[in-house]
Amino acid sequence: MKLIIILMIFFFVFPLTLGELTVGFYGFTCPQAESIVSEVVQSYYQNDNTIVAALLRLHYHDCIVDGCDASILIDPTKNRTSEKDAEANKTLRGFDLIDDAKSVLEEECPETVSCADIIAIATRDAVALANGKVYRVLTGRRDGLISNASKALLIPGPFVNVSQALKFFNSKGLTLEDMVTLIGAHTVGCSKCSFFQNRLSSFNNGEIDPTMDPNLDAMLVKKCGSFFNPIGNKTCVFLDQQTPFEFDNGFYNQIVENRGILEIDQQLALDPSSSDLVWSYARDNLRFWDNFEIAMRKMGSIGVLVGNEGEIRRNCRAFNFPLSY
Ligand code: HEM
Ligand SMILES: *[C@@H]1O[C@H](CO)[C@@H](O)[C@H](O)[C@H]1NC(C)=O
Ligand SMILES: *[C@@H]1O[C@H](CO)[C@@H](O)[C@H](O)[C@H]1NC(C)=O
Ligand SMILES: *[C@@H]1O[C@H](CO)[C@@H](O)[C@H](O)[C@H]1NC(C)=O
Ligand SMILES: *[C@@H]1O[C@H](CO)[C@@H](O)[C@H](O)[C@H]1NC(C)=O
Ligand SMILES: CC(=O)N[C@H]1CO[C@H](CO)[C@@H](O)[C@@H]1O
């Protein structure tokens, strides 16, 4: 009897599903939710396969800043900044796709599917289209009520070393293994020259970063110049030079050959704490895929709002009640 009362109190205080994301959260409330998102992703992908990279990076930034709550989507207003104001984080893309998916969903299932879940579902679909692993995505997130520009500034940039980057990932509950695995997303997408120009040699000044393959340096100097003599500030260089549109372990194969573009990417292969895992992914694509699914699930659960927390935004770019913020 006593036990039953204790159990009842336990379930009252911690309702079983509340704290948890689930597969197929919209199964009853909007069964077509995932296929609607999937169709929008496919139509974007047909015109522009770089959408895969855009969505992966968007999902990462959304989750890593202060939880997967679509705070990354909020537009700044006259009297309020938002995460979008953070520098470099200004190169995020994919917002139009989320808007398109949201507007179809609002017609079919009004105020039901969160923007935070749309990002997660769309990212899963994008990875699948890039011939990556088709994984089951967890849903049930709700949208946040805060978008804080200064928090977005704390995301590690490409010049940090492995232990600095790890400190930040640890603070979000992610391990070294999660970090090494998630950065494997750099197997798709590109970087502006300014994020690695300091590593490049050029005619009059600067020395090549000794960790960079000189052939890669020569190629990059043609595209980007050097730190002291930059050119091509619109150029975007593939982070995986071999197969930039395939979601595979190509990124790891590049960095073990000293062909990493970003400093942090190259350091992952060289730092003793991460190099074994990098080499194992370079040899074993399936191991990378399996761990990527696990790590994405962890990343996708950071700081999520569930139950009655937050809201279901009607427009992903604005809070439902803007006056409250
Ligand atoms: C310490 C961790 C990380 C650092 C320092 C970092 C840094 C960067 C930088 C500087 C760029 C180039 C951005 C630009 O030129 O616009 C980039 C691109 C990208 N990052 Fe990361 N990143 C990190 C982790 C991650 C993670 C965990 C993911 C995903 C799970 C991710 C996904 C991407 C993707 C897909 C791109 C290409 C974006 C595009 O082509 O539009 N990154 N990253
Ligand atoms: C800015 O804040 C003021 C005071 O809280 C509010 O009255 C006004 O509507 C806000 N403007 C916008 C564009 O959100
Ligand atoms: C925004 O984030 C910064 C840094 O974490 C914090 O100091 C500040 O209080 C936050 N502002 C709001 C409005 O939450
Ligand atoms: C990483 O960077 C931090 C801060 O700059 C520094 O204190 C630390 O010694 C560096 N670690 C390694 C292994 O280089
Ligand atoms: C590079 O970008 C800066 C600022 O964005 C601009 O002023 C400059 O003209 C650009 N340089 C070239 C060569 O495009
Ligand atoms: C990931 C990334 O590029 N983060 C940047 C966000 O903006 C701040 C401020 O400019 C940079 O320091 C970060 O590197």
Side-chain angles (χ1 to χ4, degrees), residues 234-269:
K234 290 230 169 96
T235 305
C236 207
V237 170
F238 292 130
L239 295 170
D240 169 7
Q241 295 276 309
Q242 265 172 341
T243 51
F245 299 114
E246 296 284 315
F247 197 91
D248 58 10
N249 63 343
F251 169 75
Y252 300 103
N253 280 300
Q254 293 284 284
I255 62 178
V256 300
E257 290 172 10
N258 297 322
R259 294 177 62 84
I261 303 294
L262 303 176
E263 196 170 326
I264 181 67
D265 292 351
Q266 190 53 59
Q267 285 307 317
L268 286 179

Side-chain angles (χ1 to χ4, degrees), residues 91-253:
T91 54
L92 289 168
R93 307 179 293 125
F95 300 106
D96 298 351
L97 182 152
I98 305 295
D99 288 342
D100 284 358
K102 183 62 179 176
S103 64
V104 181
L105 284 165
E106 282 305 290
E107 273 174 27
E108 304 252 335
C109 318
E111 295 176 52
T112 304
V113 181
S114 69
C115 300
D117 278 344
I118 296 174
I119 299 175
I121 297 166
T123 304
R124 184 273 311 268
D125 294 334
V127 168
L129 285 169
N131 300 321
K133 184 178 181 182
V134 183
Y135 59 86
R136 291 191 305 166
V137 65
L138 299 181
T139 42
R141 298 168 192 81
R142 292 174 58 93
D143 298 324
L145 301 171
I146 299 173
S147 181
N148 184 339
S150 26
K151 279 202 177 150
L153 294 178
L154 303 175
I155 297 180
F159 309 113
V160 301
N161 60 35
V162 174
S163 49
Q164 283 172 295
L166 180 60
K167 227 186 213 169
F168 190 78
F169 276 69
N170 280 166
S171 76
K172 305 292 173 180
L174 299 173
T175 64
L176 178 71
E177 184 174 15
D178 296 329
M179 184 176 87
V180 173
T181 310
L182 289 167
I183 299 181
H186 286 177
T187 189
V188 291
C190 60
S191 171
K192 297 275 159 42
C193 294
S194 58
F195 292 117
F196 58 84
Q197 230 145 18
N198 65 318
R199 304 183 65 207
L200 306 182
S201 67
S202 67
F203 286 113
N204 300 320
N205 44 45
E207 297 207 339
I208 180 174
D209 181 332
T211 64
M212 184 182 280
D213 172 356
N215 294 318
L216 178 66
D217 172 71
M219 194 277 283
L220 293 176
V221 165
K222 274 190 208 140
K223 289 191 173 181
C224 299
S226 71
F227 186 68
F228 298 105
N229 183 23
I231 56 170
N233 52 8
K234 290 230 169 96
T235 305
C236 207
V237 170
F238 292 130
L239 295 170
D240 169 7
Q241 295 276 309
Q242 265 172 341
T243 51
F245 299 114
E246 296 284 315
F247 197 91
D248 58 10
N249 63 343
F251 169 75
Y252 300 103
N253 280 300

Side-chain angles (χ1 to χ4, degrees), residues 46-60:
Q46 275 159 17
N47 294 323
D48 176 10
N49 57 3
T50 70
I51 194 67
V52 181
L55 288 169
L56 273 159
R57 187 158 183 249
L58 195 61
H59 192 25
Y60 164 57

